Amino acid sequence: MRIKYILILNSIILFSACATKPIMYDSFKPGEIWLDNNGVHVNAHGGGILFDDGRYYWFGEHKTEGENGNFANVGVHCYSSRDLYNWTDEGIALAVMPDSSGSDIEKGCILERPKVIKNNKTGQYVMWFHLEPKGKGYKGALSGVAVSDNITGPYTYIKSVRPNAGHFPFNVLDIHYGDSPSLGQRFDGGSLPGNIDTLNILGRDMKGGQMARDMTLFADDDGKAYHIYSSEENSTLHIAELSDDYLSHTGKYGRFFPGRFMEAPAIFKRNNKYYLMMSGCTGWAPNQARSAVSDGIFGEWKELGDPCIGDSMHTTFHSQSTFILPVQGKKETYIYMGDRWTPQNAIDGRYVWLPVRFEEDRFFIEWKDQWNWENRDN
Ligand code: DGJ
């Protein structure tokens, strides 16, 4: 009798658990597990957001379990939301190709920091991402592009390139026309001399195209779009104009912050000024953020220092920038989106979203355990 009673009680508990509606969030909890409509932790790392027809669409790297999960085993995941707290799984927007298919985006490649913008002339959604062909580590330094007529995909992979082959930037220096290091020479952030231009990595890569790793996209109010990426062995940021269809580079580009080794660029525009947030180069480990402001997309860019304030500010609150989102219909509301990487178990990576606050021409980010539109204090 007692056993029968326990079984009935168990099934009542189980039934009520199954019947429970998915969690409805009404705040952001930076760094915590964030469940989607199916009760699964959101899987969209190194991502960015596009607002389209009343909804936000979050695109990011789909990670899998373990260390191997840092490679692209699945593709680019897409989620949608109306309120930014609650996210609906829209599936894989760009799928990697099967093992041994020989495709540039074959399963096991490195596909990072996907960003999507809409081209209002063609009506197409255009995705760019950092691509490293399978089995070659980070030596490729390529940018891939894919398109779709539907925002959630499926996206069709077009090509991957080293941007701006055959073109010098508009702010080229005399030294870039001179000698350059051999293609086989390896560099890393710790072994480069203070004056990066003495190495002429730019000139070395002029013919074949410039290296492009961490990246973002920016579509300006006039319809022009830009690809912003860490170049020249990660030492220098390039900002490059995209063609009218957003599918290639025009050859017009500038180099900024030479020798500052900036990764993880995130850009936004406010009151006709352009702002950048970036990290240093320490792999998956977090480091101190940098920020910069400019009156135009092509400069003069002026560094503003670390925008983070408070405990753990020196590690960007244990995160790395990926995007800064202007919130629709809310004046002066921008969200810092960062990744808290867990490379030993990639799928467990967390998201650190915090409100951006402004003081004159500078922006700041402060830690909050939990926040929403009502209590963001700015
Ligand atoms: C730092 C970059 O920001 C990430 O996107 C990723 O490429 C890691 N490095 C890999 O170590």
Side-chain angles (χ1 to χ4, degrees), residues 61 110 112-113 130 138 214 263-264 279 282-284 320 341:
E61 303 158 30
I110 293 172
E112 293 180 339
R113 299 186 177 273
H130 168 201
Y138 280 88
D214 277 13
E263 285 196 318
S279 73
T282 50
W284 298 113
Q320 188 183 29
W341 305 109

Side-chain angles (χ1 to χ4, degrees), residues 178-191:
D179 291 342
S180 53
S182 70
L183 280 172
Q185 195 174 336
R186 295 296 312 277
F187 301 101
D188 63 58
S191 66

Side-chain angles (χ1 to χ4, degrees), residues 195-344:
N195 183 357
I196 193 73
D197 289 325
T198 59
L199 274 176
N200 192 14
I201 297 167
L202 180 90
R204 180 197 71 184
D205 293 337
M206 205 279 279
K207 279 206 186 103
Q210 297 298 322
M211 300 177 82
R213 291 200 181 108
D214 277 13
M215 56 141 280
T216 194
L217 294 179
F218 180 69
D220 212 338
D221 308 324
D222 60 2
K224 281 205 178 300
Y226 302 88
H227 183 206
I228 300 163
Y229 49 90
S230 300
S231 192
E232 302 179 41
E233 305 284 354
N234 287 356
S235 69
T236 301
L237 195 78
H238 287 191
I239 300 180
E241 186 185 70
L242 291 176
S243 55
D244 282 351
D245 59 9
Y246 300 171
L247 301 181
S248 52
H249 299 83
T250 62
K252 179 176 178 188
Y253 70 108
R255 54 194 299 275
F256 304 95
F257 318 108
R260 291 284 288 135
F261 287 90
M262 311 253 207
E263 285 196 318
I267 188 168
F268 65 99
K269 189 175 181 182
R270 172 193 175 248
N271 295 345
N272 287 324
K273 285 196 185 291
Y274 298 78
Y275 292 87
L276 271 169
M277 180 164 173
M278 294 144 296
S279 73
C281 281
T282 50
W284 298 113
N287 56 51
Q288 188 162 22
R290 297 110 184 255
S291 62
V293 64
S294 174
D295 287 330
I297 186 89
F298 284 133
E300 296 265 319
W301 283 98
K302 185 179 117 203
E303 279 203 54
L304 298 173
D306 184 355
C308 302
I309 299 176
D311 288 351
S312 71
M313 58 182 269
H314 296 305
T315 61
T316 319
F317 312 113
H318 198 147
S319 72
Q320 188 183 29
S321 45
T322 185
F323 203 76
I324 293 184
L325 174 71
V327 179
Q328 301 297 314
K330 292 193 191 289
K331 198 165 176 280
E332 294 287 279
T333 305
Y334 294 77
I335 298 178
Y336 160 76
M337 292 169 54
D339 291 286
R340 186 170 285 177
W341 305 109
T342 50
Q344 67 288 356

Side-chain angles (χ1 to χ4, degrees), residues 36-113:
D36 67 10
N37 61 313
N38 298 317
V40 178
H41 181 46
V42 173
N43 199 338
H45 310 265
I49 289 183
L50 177 63
F51 182 77
D52 192 57
D53 200 16
R55 275 181 182 270
Y56 297 91
Y57 292 85
W58 180 358
F59 297 87
E61 303 158 30
H62 180 107
K63 301 280 196 190
T64 54
E65 279 179 11
E67 257 183 82
N68 182 54
N70 296 301
F71 294 102
N73 296 313
V74 177
V76 176
H77 208 135
C78 176
Y79 295 83
S80 72
S81 173
R82 284 194 190 278
D83 62 7
L84 293 167
Y85 303 132
N86 297 286
W87 291 90
T88 299
D89 186 354
E90 299 284 355
I92 300 302
L94 173 68
V96 294
M97 293 293 134
D99 248 340
S100 312
S101 60
S103 162
D104 296 343
I105 59 164
E106 178 175 327
K107 182 177 176 192
C109 67
I110 293 172
L111 195 165
E112 293 180 339
R113 299 186 177 273

